[in-house]
């Protein structure tokens, strides 16, 4: 008896989650770094963005990337979404008398480790788009500058980090919106 084999093609019709994650990261990063650049103090706007758009939106993108089988997207969006939650907790737990505020050394270690993680993730972007390379390299530099600013207590370094962070956030916003527009118009309107 001959076997009757049929090839079944399954088409992925799910949306691209990367723009959601990039925009959640980008907008939150810009707003936090406007603070780092000295324009306003940390306030509930930054905390709310960190929990919701920086945190929840990226975690949602992480789950969607997982379902698409994208390890890089899963790790990136899950990690940075949880970074925002941990950052908010670093600020809120001491205010609630649930933990001591981090000292400069521990905060510098926290930021340095995120910089190291981001630098390795940047290596992964060398197989991806130029736009993502810019985002990840700029983010690694940002984490290292913030760590250096904390460990030295040099406010000028933190101020420079603020402006570099604004660039980092806007680079992610650009890549996210470019992906939305390019997919919507079904052609490359904006290079990534």
């Amino acid at each position: 008896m001959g076997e009757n084999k049929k090839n079944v093609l399954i088409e992925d019709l799910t949306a691209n989650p990367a723009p959601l994650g990039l925009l959640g990261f980008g907008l939150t990063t810009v707003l936090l770094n406007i603070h780092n650049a000295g324009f306003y103090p940390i306030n509930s706007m930054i905390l709310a963005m960190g929990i919701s758009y920086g945190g929840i939106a990226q975690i949602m993108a992480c789950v969607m990337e997982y379902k698409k089988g994208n390890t890089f997207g899963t790790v990136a969006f899950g990690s940075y979404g949880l970074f925002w939650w941990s950052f908010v907790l670093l600020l809120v737990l001491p205010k609630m008398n649930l933990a001591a505020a981090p000292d400069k050394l521990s905060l510098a270690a926290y930021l340095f480790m995120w910089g190291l993680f981001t630098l390795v993730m940047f290596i992964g972007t060398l197989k991806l788009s130029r736009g993502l390379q810019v985002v990840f390299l700029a983010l690694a530099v940002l984490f290292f500058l913030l760590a250096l600013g904390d460990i030295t207590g040099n406010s000028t370094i933190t101020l420079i980090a603020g402006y570099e962070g604004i660039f980092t956030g806007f680079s992610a916003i650009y890549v996210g919106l470019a992906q939305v527009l390019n997919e919507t118009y079904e052609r490359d309107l904006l290079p990534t």
Side-chain angles (χ1 to χ4, degrees):
M1 262 185 161
E3 291 183 28
N4 188 7
K5 292 185 177 182
K6 293 183 181 179
N7 291 330
V8 177
L9 178 65
I10 299 174
E11 186 178 357
D12 180 3
L13 298 176
T14 58
N16 176 4
L20 174 64
L22 286 162
L23 291 167
F25 166 77
L27 269 71
T28 308
T29 300
V30 166
L31 292 172
L32 173 62
N33 283 286
I34 291 172
H35 152 73
N36 287 335
F39 290 97
Y40 49 68
I42 289 277
N43 58 45
S44 62
M45 176 273 296
I46 294 170
L47 298 177
M49 283 292 286
I51 292 168
S52 57
Y53 207 35
I56 294 172
Q58 285 193 92
I59 293 167
M60 289 170 54
C62 160
V63 171
M64 292 186 279
E65 290 285 12
Y66 172 82
K67 288 182 177 182
K68 287 183 164 288
N70 182 351
T71 301
F72 185 91
T74 300
V75 172
F77 292 130
S79 296
Y80 295 116
L82 293 169
F83 160 81
W84 282 111
W85 280 6
S86 71
F87 179 75
V88 169
L89 287 171
L90 283 173
L91 298 174
V92 171
L93 290 176
K95 300 284 185 197
M96 298 172 64
N97 293 320
L98 295 174
D103 59 28
K104 294 291 186 183
L105 181 60
S106 63
L107 193 54
Y110 170 81
L111 293 165
F112 178 82
M113 290 307 296
W114 278 106
L116 192 58
F117 168 76
T118 303
L119 189 58
V120 175
M121 292 295 284
F122 164 72
I123 294 169
T125 68
L126 297 176
K127 298 279 287 183
L128 303 173
S129 73
R130 180 76 64 214
L132 288 176
Q133 293 169 21
V134 170
V135 171
F136 277 81
L137 184 59
L139 182 57
V141 169
L142 173 61
F143 279 128
F144 290 134
L145 282 172
L146 290 170
L148 186 61
D150 276 339
I151 199 74
T152 64
N154 186 328
S155 60
T156 302
I157 294 173
T158 302
L159 180 71
I160 292 167
Y163 285 101
E164 200 277 343
I166 292 168
F167 169 80
T168 300
F170 275 122
S171 67
I173 292 168
Y174 171 84
V175 174
L177 290 176
Q179 287 185 14
V180 169
L181 293 176
N182 291 348
E183 288 181 29
T184 300
Y185 284 88
E186 298 178 346
R187 61 187 172 97
D188 286 341
L189 288 177
L190 298 172
T192 59

